[in-house]
Amino acid sequence: MIGDSEFDRDTALTRRGPGVYDIDLSAGWTIINAVNGGYLLAVLGRALADALPHPDPFTISAHYLTASQPGPAVVRTETVRTGRTLSTGQASLFQYDEQGDEVERIRVLASYGDLGALPDDVRTAATPPAMPPLDQCFGPQDGPSPVSGSSAITDRLMLKLDPATLGWALGSPSGKGEMRAWFGLADGRDADPLSLLLAVDALPPTAFELGLSGWVPTVELTVHVRHRPAPGPLRVSITTRNLAGGFLEEDAEVWDSQDRLVAQSRQLARVRLVNGG
Amino acid sequence: MIGDSEFDRDTALTRRGPGVYDIDLSAGWTIINAVNGGYLLAVLGRALADALPHPDPFTISAHYLTASQPGPAVVRTETVRTGRTLSTGQASLFQYDEQGDEVERIRVLASYGDLGALPDDVRTAATPPAMPPLDQCFGPQDGPSPVSGSSAITDRLMLKLDPATLGWALGSPSGKGEMRAWFGLADGRDADPLSLLLAVDALPPTAFELGLSGWVPTVELTVHVRHRPAPGPLRVSITTRNLAGGFLEEDAEVWDSQDRLVAQSRQLARVRLVNGG
């Protein structure tokens, strides 16, 4: 069901024909002038949810080829295999060059299932991140904008960062590859499996706490959605342990208000080694 | 360069035409009667290394659709985008049904680069796993075969498990989702970026230490190859933290003899909840 929240409105697609969907990518989900990768993944995820016989992304991998811009785009999906409990699909998002030809921005491979059909056996050994309560965390609205360029996405989100991962905004990065925040949508829409695809890529880069600045473009992002999130704010905890050779990984965990580990992701991103090295 | 080691011989492909490669999948890399997923990923990885302008997998995601069998197979590749430092490609492995029609086994999306061209800036915060020395670890050759069915792959590998993750083989699983081993190829071939794709999926399942038995089929596997491995044995450390709803994730780290974190992977696998739950 597509509601009228900002997230639903801005990820809604118009089916042009079987497996082909049009969308006008919103300018409302940009960070540092780039359309946010998690928003784009949610757009592709919604297209595949329509195209495949199963409703929920279980595991979805995206390779980001060229930077997307706000404006017209088309998503083309392919059903790779349908099974009883899992289906696999592929999807690409294209935009248009000056001649009107399609240029591929992102290609995705994903396996979908029905989260509601999973047994309720939970043996999760991981525990939620240690974070201060929401009212002791801080968001972009609590201070001057610390990064130049458009940060329209911050108006779409309820984002309250753990003060222990805010040093970068005050000129004192911790040196540790960590970023943690309470996360929700600004208009109060509850989380769902598709909005989890946004949540894993919506925090500031861990690179900022590692003392690096500028754009940290995502090369590839894989998300595992493991449970429908309960209503209420999410906790997102991101860790980088392997900054080397001009690349880093960001591992994100998303925990819901029932202390369930609802999503796990890893992305490979490129860094510009501006600060020596 | 394809050498004459078992790994090179059994992952060698014959180019039929542009982007199309034939191979006879070896019966020598089976575990519990299934062709090992890491061996299959290495086959696809070798095809893409030939098809793309860049030699090394940087990030590669595979969705496993149907179980592969030893015997004839064809790999079809597609170049998605070529860039100066990264190229992206897609590849599928097919086998043949009784009518001789192609059945897709695995589909892969990957971005390739040149590991040799990366800057030598290393700020890895992660540290190698704490493990006993190789001569205090144990492999399948050191005791009776603990799992029924074909384990031909164990003859291809030098695999010495940390005793702390061997309880399952002695009827006393630890209850912790961990598996660690020293890893190499039995014929002494040094590791390289393609053999790392095998290494991340070549240990016994963490599910065994969690008290679960039987097949733990991989749904999806994503590997980041971050550095060319140095010669000598590798250390592979696998962790599962989210066994829930009939699925689990396995996070693998591969460390080389120079204490470099050369590869990181995560797979989503299905478990059969035989032991209650």
Side-chain angles (χ1 to χ4, degrees):
Chain A
M1 284 291 298
I2 305 287
D4 58 3
S5 78
E6 292 182 312
F7 175 78
D8 294 310
R9 177 199 67 200
D10 291 344
T11 58
L13 301 131
T14 304
R15 193 190 301 160
R16 192 198 291 182
V20 184
Y21 306 84
D22 291 294
I23 182 170
D24 205 68
L25 293 179
S26 167
W29 302 84
T30 52
I31 183 77
I32 320 178
N33 293 323
V35 181
N36 173 262
Y39 161 70
L40 294 167
L41 186 60
V43 168
L44 285 146
R46 195 181 288 291
L48 282 168
D50 183 83
L52 294 174
H54 292 93
D56 303 313
F58 273 33
T59 170
I60 179 164
S61 291
H63 285 246
Y64 294 80
L65 310 170
T66 52
S68 297
Q69 304 296 328
V74 59
V75 177
R76 297 180 181 281
T77 67
E78 174 195 347
T79 298
V80 177
R81 176 179 184 268
T82 61
R84 187 176 56 83
T85 57
L86 289 179
S87 298
T88 301
Q90 181 178 308
S92 293
L93 184 144
F94 300 87
Q95 290 190 297
Y96 305 94
D97 65 15
E98 296 91 355
Q99 288 77 47
D101 296 323
E102 291 185 8
V103 180
E104 192 167 2
R105 298 297 194 210
I106 304 159
R107 187 174 294 203
V108 155
L109 197 47
S111 291
Y112 274 54
D114 183 353
L115 289 168
L118 296 183
D120 203 30
D121 178 85
V122 181
R123 306 188 207 185
T124 306
T127 52
M131 284 173 60
L134 197 153
D135 61 6
Q136 292 174 33
C137 293
F138 301 95
Q141 296 81 358
D142 297 314
S145 173
V147 290
S148 59
S150 167
S151 304
I153 195 175
T154 61
D155 295 333
R156 311 274 88 72
L157 305 179
M158 183 289 291
L159 198 65
K160 298 289 186 183
L161 270 65
D162 183 339
T165 66
L166 255 178
W168 59 273
L170 305 167
S172 298
S174 68
K176 294 193 290 184
E178 299 178 1
M179 194 64 62
R180 290 183 294 276
W182 292 90
F183 177 95
L185 294 165
D187 62 11
R189 178 202 192 271
D190 284 325
D192 72 352
L194 287 181
S195 76
L196 293 179
L197 304 182
L198 164 71
V200 298
D201 192 51
L203 269 58
T206 54
F208 288 1
E209 279 287 77
L210 290 166
L212 306 171
S213 60
W215 196 31
V216 188
T218 302
V219 175
E220 172 268 324
L221 167 62
T222 295
V223 189
H224 293 178
V225 179
R226 300 294 309 275
H227 198 260
R228 297 195 66 83
L234 303 172
R235 281 156 292 170
V236 183
S237 177
I238 307 182
T239 307
T240 292
R241 297 165 65 246
N242 194 14
L243 166 61
F247 287 82
L248 61 75
E249 93 293 10
E250 283 199 0
D251 282 2
E253 294 187 355
V254 185
W255 294 82
D256 75 2
S257 60
Q258 299 296 309
D259 283 350
R260 285 295 299 264
L261 178 49
V262 294
Q264 295 169 270
S265 72
R266 176 174 291 158
Q267 65 169 274
L268 185 69
R270 242 203 272 229
V271 292
R272 301 180 313 160
L273 298 171
V274 179
N275 296 323
Chain B
M1 284 291 301
I2 306 286
D4 59 0
S5 77
E6 292 181 311
F7 175 78
D8 294 312
R9 177 199 68 199
D10 291 343
T11 58
L13 301 132
T14 305
R15 192 190 301 160
R16 192 199 291 183
V20 184
Y21 305 84
D22 291 296
I23 184 171
D24 206 68
L25 292 179
S26 167
W29 302 84
T30 52
I31 183 77
I32 320 180
N33 293 321
V35 181
N36 174 262
Y39 162 69
L40 294 168
L41 186 60
V43 168
L44 285 146
R46 195 180 290 289
L48 282 168
D50 184 82
L52 294 174
H54 293 93
D56 303 313
F58 273 34
T59 169
I60 178 164
S61 293
H63 286 246
Y64 294 80
L65 311 169
T66 52
S68 297
Q69 304 295 329
V74 58
V75 177
R76 297 179 180 281
T77 68
E78 174 194 347
T79 299
V80 178
R81 178 179 183 268
T82 60
R84 189 175 55 82
T85 57
L86 290 178
S87 298
T88 301
Q90 180 178 309
S92 293
L93 185 143
F94 301 85
Q95 290 190 297
Y96 304 95
D97 65 15
E98 296 90 353
Q99 289 79 45
D101 297 322
E102 290 184 9
V103 180
E104 193 167 2
R105 298 296 194 211
I106 305 159
R107 187 172 294 202
V108 154
L109 197 47
S111 291
Y112 275 54
D114 183 352
L115 289 169
L118 297 181
D120 204 32
D121 179 84
V122 182
R123 307 188 206 185
T124 306
T127 53
M131 283 173 60
L134 197 153
D135 61 5
Q136 292 174 31
C137 294
F138 301 95
Q141 295 82 358
D142 297 313
S145 173
V147 291
S148 58
S150 166
S151 303
I153 195 175
T154 61
D155 296 333
R156 310 275 88 73
L157 306 178
M158 183 290 290
L159 198 65
K160 298 288 186 184
L161 271 65
D162 183 338
T165 66
L166 254 178
W168 59 274
L170 305 167
S172 297
S174 68
K176 295 194 290 183
E178 300 179 359
M179 194 63 62
R180 291 183 292 277
W182 292 89
F183 176 95
L185 294 165
D187 61 12
R189 176 201 192 272
D190 284 326
D192 73 352
L194 286 181
S195 76
L196 293 178
L197 304 182
L198 164 71
V200 298
D201 192 52
L203 269 58
T206 54
F208 287 1
E209 280 287 77
L210 290 165
L212 306 171
S213 60
W215 196 33
V216 189
T218 304
V219 176
E220 173 267 328
L221 167 62
T222 295
V223 189
H224 293 178
V225 179
R226 301 294 309 275
H227 198 260
R228 297 195 67 84
L234 303 171
R235 281 156 291 171
V236 182
S237 177
I238 307 182
T239 306
T240 292
R241 297 164 66 248
N242 194 14
L243 165 61
F247 287 82
L248 61 76
E249 94 291 12
E250 283 199 2
D251 281 2
E253 295 188 353
V254 185
W255 295 82
D256 75 2
S257 59
Q258 300 296 309
D259 283 349
R260 285 293 299 266
L261 178 49
V262 294
Q264 293 168 272
S265 72
R266 175 175 292 157
Q267 67 170 272
L268 184 70
R270 244 205 269 229
V271 291
R272 301 180 312 161
L273 297 171
V274 180
N275 295 324

